[in-house]
C-alpha cells in the first residue's frame, strides 16, 4: 500500500472531478483484463449457509460474500493500485479541519426493483443500521457523535465530532434500500433490535433489492444460492459495454474444504480460493495440462489464524493463568510457526502481525523479533518459573494440584485449522501442557469465541488497509475483543469496563484513542507501531501465520483477478466472463 491511500483518508480534498454517469471502469490492461462477452454462468462456493440475507443482521462470511455482488458502497478500491475511487458517490470533499465529509451521489442508479437510489437511502443506512448499537453487523462505535444529513436528493454530509483519518474507508459499507427496510427500523416505529429480523433466509427474493451487479433469484436452504444479472447495473467496462458480463452466479454450499477442491476438479465450480496445503497438487495438475490456472500473491487482505486464550474462562485457575502474560509468552515459545508455514502452507505464508499484513505500510517490522522463535527449552524454563511443576505423567500441575490441560476449539472442516491444531497439541505436550481438541464448523468459530464456553480457540480475523478498520477487534473493550470479554461494555452504548483492563490493555486503548484522531501520517504510524509492539510483547493473542492469497480458476473464464487478496466490498466478478 502506498501513502496515497493514507493521503486520501487524511483529510485532503478528495474524489477529483465528478465522473460521467454511468461509471466506466479502467482498462486494467496490466492485470490482464480484456473486453469480455456477455452471457454465461459462474458457479462458486460458500463454506457455510447464510444465517440471514441481511448483511447487517449477522457477522457472517456467507452473507458478506453475497452482499459483495448485490450491493454497493459510496466508494471502492481501484484494482490496479488500491486507490480509493468513487462508486455510488461520484465525488467528495473533506473540509472543516478534516471533520466534514460531503458526498455527491450518482444520479442514474436504481434499486433492483426499479426504485431510484437517493440520499435518503444513504442517511437511512448509516443512521438506522450502521450506527444502530443493536444491529449485529453494525458499527456504532465509529459513528458515535457523527451527524449525518441529507442536503438534497443527491448530496449527503457527515460531520464528525473530531478528525478521523480512516473515516473515508467506512464509506465502503453497503448501502441498503430505505423503502424496503423502513418497517424494520426505529425510524419506522420499531425497536432498534428489530432491524436484525429483516430479510431472513426464507424471505421472498423479490424483497432483497440492492444496486449491485447481481440480484437474488433464489435460495435453497443448505444447498445453493442463485443470483442473476442486474440488467440496469450502473457500471461499464473500458469499452463502454454493460457489466456484468455473466448472466448468472450460483453459490453451492460446501462446508468441507477437500470437497470444494473435488468439486472444482470435477468441473462443478468455476473458481475456488485454496490454501497453501492444496496448492502443490493443483499446480502440478495445471502444469500437466489440466484446464485451469493457479495463482498466488502476498496478501494485503485475508485472515491470519491466531491462538487465543480465554482470559475469562469458566475455570478460574485457567482464567488466572491465561491472563498472565508470562504464561502466554511461554506458550508462544512452543508455537512452531516455521514448521506450520512449511508443512501446512507449503511455504506460501509468512509470519503475521495484529490486524496489519506484512505487505502493508502500517506493519511494524519488530513484531517478529518480539514474538520470538520456536524454542521448547525457553518454553519449559518459563513455565518452570511460573511454578507449574510436572506431575508423574509429565503434565504440569496447576496451583490447585489439577493437571494443566485445556480444550482448544478449532474448525474441523478446515484442513489448515486441523493441521495447526494438531501441531500445537503435540508441541504443547512436549512442554507439559495437555491440550484436548474440539472440532466445530469453521463458520461457527467467531460465534463460539464471542460466547463464554471455550478455553482456547483458533480463529482467523481479517486484515485491512488501515488499522482503524479493525478497532472492534484490537482495541480493548471492542465488540470483537472476544479473548477478554470482561473489558466490554455492559450495554451496547456503554463505556468499556476499564476496571477490568490489564495495565498494558489500558496503554493500548489510549494509543488507539490518540491514533483515531491523529491526522499526521508519521505520528499515527508511530502510535500503531507502539500498539503492535505491546501486543507482541504481551502475547495478547498468538499470531500464527499470514497466508498468501491462493486461488484457482477454470480456463473457461476470463478476467480473473486475485492480487493482494480478496478485496472486501469490491469483488471483480462483474469483469469475469465465460469464454
Amino acid at each position: 500500500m502506498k501513502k496515497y491511500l493514507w493521503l486520501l483518508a487524511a483529510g485532503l480534498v478528495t474524489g477529483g472531478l465528478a465522473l460521467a454517469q454511468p461509471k466506466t471502469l479502467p482498462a486494467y490492461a496490466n492485470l490482464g483484463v480484456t473486453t469480455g462477452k456477455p452471457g454465461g454462468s459462474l458457479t462458486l462456493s460458500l463454506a457455510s449457509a447464510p444465517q440471514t440475507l441481511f448483511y447487517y443482521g449477522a457477522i457472517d462470511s456467507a452473507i458478506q460474500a453475497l452482499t459483495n455482488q448485490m450491493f454497493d458502497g459510496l466508494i471502492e478500491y481501484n484494482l490496479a493500485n488500491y486507490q480509493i475511487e468513487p462508486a455510488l458517490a461520484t465525488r467528495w470533499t473533506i473540509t472543516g479541519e478534516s471533520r466534514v465529509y460531503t458526498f455527491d451521489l450518482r444520479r442514474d442508479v436504481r434499486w433492483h426493483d426499479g426504485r431510484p437510489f437517493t440520499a435518503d437511502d444513504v442517511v437511512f443506512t448509516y443512521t438506522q443500521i450502521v450506527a444502530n448499537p443493536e444491529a449485529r453487523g453494525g458499527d456504532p462505535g465509529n459513528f458515535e457523535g457523527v451527524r449525518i444529513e441529507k442536503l438534497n436528493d443527491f448530496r449527503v454530509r457527515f460531520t464528525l465530532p473530531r478528525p478521523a483519518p480512516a473515516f473515508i474507508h467506512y464509506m465502503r459499507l453497503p448501502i441498503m434500500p430505505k423503502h424496503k427496510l423502513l418497517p424494520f427500523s426505529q425510524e419506522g416505529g420499531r425497536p432498534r433490535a428489530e432491524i436484525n429480523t429483516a430479510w431472513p433466509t426464507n424471505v421472498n427474493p423479490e424483497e432483497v433489492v440492492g444496486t449491485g451487479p447481481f440480484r437474488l433469484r433464489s435460495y435453497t436452504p443448505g444447498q445453493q444460492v442463485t443470483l442473476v444479472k442486474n440488467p440496469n447495473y450502473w457500471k461499464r467496462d473500458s469499452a463502454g459495454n454493460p457489466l456484468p458480463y455473466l448472466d448468472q452466479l450460483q453459490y453451492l454450499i460446501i462446508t468441507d474444504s477437500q470437497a470444494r477442491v473435488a468439486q472444482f476438479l470435477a468441473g462443478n465450480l468455476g473458481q475456488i480460493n485454496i490454501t497453501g496445503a492444496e496448492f502443490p497438487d493443483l499446480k502440478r495438475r495445471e502444469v500437466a495440462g489440466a484446464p485451469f490456472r493457479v495463482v498466488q500473491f502476498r496478501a494485503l487482505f485475508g485472515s491470519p489464524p491466531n491462538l487465543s486464550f480465554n482470559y475469562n474462562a469458566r475455570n478460574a485457575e485457567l482464567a488466572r493463568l491465561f491472563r498472565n502474560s508470562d504464561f502466554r509468552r511461554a506458550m508462544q515459545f512452543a508455537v512452531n510457526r516455521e514448521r506450520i508455514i512449511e508443512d501446512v502452507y507449503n511455504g506460501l505464508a509468512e509470519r503475521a502481525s495484529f490486524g496489519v499484513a506484512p505487505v502493508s505500510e502500517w506493519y511494524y517490522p519488530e513484531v517478529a523479533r518480539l514474538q520470538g522463535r520456536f524454542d521448547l527449552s525457553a518454553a519449559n524454563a518459563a513455565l518452570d518459573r511460573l511454578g507449574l511443576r510436572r506431575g508423574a505423567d509429565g503434565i504440569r500441575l496447576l496451583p490447585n494440584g489439577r493437571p494443566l490441560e485445556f480444550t482448544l476449539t478449532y474448525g474441523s472442516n478446515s484442513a489448515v485449522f486441523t493441521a495447526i491444531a494438531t501441531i500445537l497439541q503435540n508441541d504443547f505436550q512436549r512442554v507439559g501442557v495437555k491440550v484436548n481438541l474440539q472440532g466445530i464448523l469453521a463458520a461457527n468459530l467467531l460465534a463460539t469465541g464471542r460466547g463464554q464456553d471455550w478455553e482456547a480457540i483458533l480463529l482467523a480475523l481479517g486484515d485491512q488497509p488501515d488499522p482503524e478498520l479493525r478497532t472492534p477487534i484490537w482495541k480493548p473493550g471492542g465488540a470483537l475483543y472476544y479473548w477478554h470479554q470482561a473489558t466490554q461494555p455492559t450495554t451496547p452504548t456503554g463505556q468499556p469496563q476499564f476496571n477490568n483492563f490489564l495495565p498494558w490493555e489500558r496503554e493500548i486503548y489510549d494509543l488507539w484513542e490518540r491514533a483515531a484522531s491523529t491526522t499526521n501520517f508519521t505520528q499515527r504510524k508511530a502510535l500503531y507501531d507502539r500498539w503492535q509492539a505491546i501486543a507482541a510483547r504481551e502475547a495478547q493473542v498468538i499470531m500464527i501465520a499470514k497466508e498468501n492469497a491462493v486461488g484457482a480458476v477454470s480456463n473457461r473464464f476470463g478476467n480473473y483477478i486475485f492480487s493482494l487478496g480478496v478485496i472486501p466490498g469490491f469483488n471483480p466478478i462483474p469483469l469475469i466472463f465465460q469464454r
Side-chain angles (χ1 to χ4, degrees):
M1 292 290 292
K2 305 297 184 184
K3 286 190 175 58
Y4 51 66
L5 237 181
W6 157 256
L7 292 173
L8 280 171
L12 303 178
V13 174
T14 63
L17 299 175
L19 298 184
Q21 299 168 327
K23 178 178 178 176
T24 299
L25 296 184
Y28 290 132
N30 62 322
L31 297 178
V33 171
T34 61
T35 300
K37 65 177 184 179
S41 176
L42 172 63
T43 302
L44 304 170
S45 68
L46 296 173
S48 61
Q51 301 173 35
T52 173
L53 294 172
F54 177 50
Y55 174 81
Y56 296 101
I59 298 175
D60 173 53
S61 60
I63 190 55
Q64 288 173 1
L66 297 172
T67 296
N68 286 348
Q69 307 309 326
M70 296 191 291
F71 296 86
D72 302 293
L74 296 183
I75 65 165
E76 62 191 17
Y77 288 140
N78 181 290
L79 289 174
N81 56 31
Y82 283 73
Q83 280 188 320
I84 293 172
E85 63 181 33
L88 288 177
T90 57
R91 69 181 302 273
W92 58 91
T93 59
I94 304 175
T95 57
E97 298 180 338
S98 302
R99 294 190 308 108
V100 180
Y101 290 67
T102 304
F103 294 85
D104 290 334
L105 306 181
R106 200 170 295 277
R107 294 172 179 264
D108 58 346
V109 177
R110 292 190 175 272
W111 295 98
H112 293 153
D113 61 0
R115 293 281 291 269
F117 158 75
T118 70
D120 290 327
D121 300 303
V122 177
V123 173
F124 176 83
T125 296
Y126 281 97
T127 60
Q128 299 297 302
I129 305 175
V130 176
N132 180 351
E134 298 290 345
R136 298 190 188 107
D139 193 3
N142 285 302
F143 287 84
E144 185 176 355
V146 176
R147 187 168 73 252
I148 306 166
E149 305 167 273
K150 171 185 174 181
L151 302 183
N152 60 44
D153 281 348
F154 296 98
R155 177 172 288 182
V156 294
R157 182 168 64 205
F158 295 76
T159 304
L160 283 57
R162 62 180 185 177
F167 185 77
I168 189 69
H169 291 278
Y170 294 107
M171 299 299 101
R172 291 163 48 224
L173 292 172
I175 302 300
M176 296 286 133
K178 179 177 180 178
H179 66 285
K180 288 293 187 182
L181 296 175
L182 180 64
F184 300 93
S185 70
Q186 188 176 29
E187 183 180 338
R190 307 301 299 170
R192 288 188 302 194
E194 191 80 8
I195 197 69
N196 296 307
T197 67
W199 297 346
T201 54
N202 63 351
V203 69
N204 181 347
E206 297 294 321
E207 291 297 305
V208 183
V209 300
T211 58
F214 297 91
R215 67 167 300 160
L216 182 65
R217 165 65 61 82
S218 64
Y219 171 50
T220 304
Q223 298 182 41
Q224 73 175 38
V225 181
T226 301
L227 308 182
V228 293
K229 177 177 182 174
N230 171 12
N232 300 312
Y233 191 46
W234 48 273
K235 287 184 183 177
R236 302 289 184 266
D237 67 13
S238 61
N241 300 305
L243 293 174
Y245 295 126
L246 295 167
D247 287 334
Q248 180 174 271
L249 279 180
Q250 282 195 318
Y251 289 87
L252 302 184
I253 298 167
I254 307 173
T255 59
D256 182 76
S257 59
Q258 294 180 340
R260 285 195 293 275
V261 173
Q263 290 282 4
F264 175 75
L265 292 174
N268 297 325
L269 296 175
Q271 185 272 325
I272 56 172
N273 299 340
I274 61 176
T275 68
E278 296 154 343
F279 177 83
D281 177 60
L282 290 175
K283 195 65 179 178
R284 281 193 295 269
R285 291 172 184 263
E286 177 195 3
V287 172
F292 55 77
R293 184 164 57 96
V294 183
V295 296
Q296 62 92 13
F297 305 89
R298 292 182 76 199
L300 174 65
F301 295 97
S303 304
N306 72 75
L307 168 64
S308 306
F309 295 102
N310 189 347
Y311 296 11
N312 301 112
R314 297 186 189 278
N315 182 318
E317 287 278 355
L318 284 178
R320 277 193 291 272
L321 198 60
F322 292 164
R323 285 195 296 271
N324 188 331
S325 297
D326 289 332
F327 172 76
R328 297 192 304 276
R329 281 191 287 264
M331 299 310 296
Q332 184 162 243
F333 279 124
V335 175
N336 194 340
R337 295 181 178 90
E338 286 69 29
R339 178 187 172 191
I340 291 169
I341 288 171
E342 289 302 317
D343 292 357
V344 179
Y345 294 107
N346 281 293
L348 301 180
E350 55 193 320
R351 293 181 63 131
S353 186
F354 302 81
V356 177
V359 74
S360 168
E361 64 184 343
W362 297 102
Y363 176 69
Y364 181 50
E366 288 295 299
V367 163
R369 181 184 64 80
L370 291 166
Q371 289 173 331
R373 292 287 176 178
F374 177 65
D375 187 339
L376 292 182
S377 295
N380 274 310
L383 292 171
D384 289 343
R385 286 193 295 272
L386 287 169
L388 301 169
R389 60 184 179 84
R390 291 180 184 261
D393 59 357
I395 299 302
R396 295 179 184 274
L397 302 176
L398 293 166
N400 62 9
R402 294 183 178 275
L404 172 48
E405 66 176 306
F406 56 81
T407 298
L408 172 59
T409 303
Y410 70 101
S412 57
N413 60 322
S414 163
V416 167
F417 277 28
T418 300
I420 293 174
T422 301
I423 290 172
L424 294 177
Q425 181 187 44
N426 291 336
D427 286 336
F428 288 3
Q429 179 87 16
R430 296 168 68 186
V431 296
V433 178
K434 183 179 179 181
V435 174
N436 303 306
L437 298 184
Q438 175 178 282
I440 64 174
L441 286 177
N444 296 332
L445 284 171
L446 182 57
T448 299
R450 298 183 77 185
Q452 299 290 333
D453 192 20
W454 62 279
E455 293 174 343
I457 194 168
L458 272 177
L459 242 173
L461 301 169
D463 293 332
Q464 288 283 346
D466 190 295
E468 176 72 14
L469 304 179
R470 301 285 78 181
T471 298
I473 300 171
W474 299 110
K475 185 179 181 181
L480 298 179
Y481 197 76
Y482 59 89
W483 52 88
H484 195 186
Q485 295 177 35
T487 66
Q488 295 173 335
T490 56
T491 62
T493 58
Q495 288 293 308
Q497 298 185 69
F498 294 112
N499 58 308
N500 291 330
F501 277 34
L502 298 166
W504 59 266
E505 287 181 311
R506 185 60 201 237
E507 185 177 357
I508 286 179
Y509 182 91
D510 292 342
L511 288 168
W512 277 79
E513 284 285 290
R514 292 165 59 194
S517 59
T518 298
T519 58
N520 178 279
F521 173 82
T522 302
Q523 295 173 3
R524 192 162 176 253
K525 175 73 164 64
L527 293 169
Y528 284 131
D529 283 353
R530 178 63 181 158
W531 152 60
Q532 292 175 74
I534 296 170
R537 182 195 73 203
E538 301 296 333
Q540 179 183 35
V541 301
I542 299 176
M543 301 303 300
I544 306 293
K546 174 70 172 181
E547 184 176 15
N548 289 4
V550 191
V553 63
S554 166
N555 291 341
R556 293 181 291 120
F557 298 95
N559 290 349
Y560 171 63
I561 302 170
F562 198 67
S563 61
L564 293 183
V566 176
I567 306 175
F570 190 74
N571 192 312
I573 285 177
L575 287 169
I576 292 179
F577 66 95
Q578 186 169 345
R579 292 190 169 101

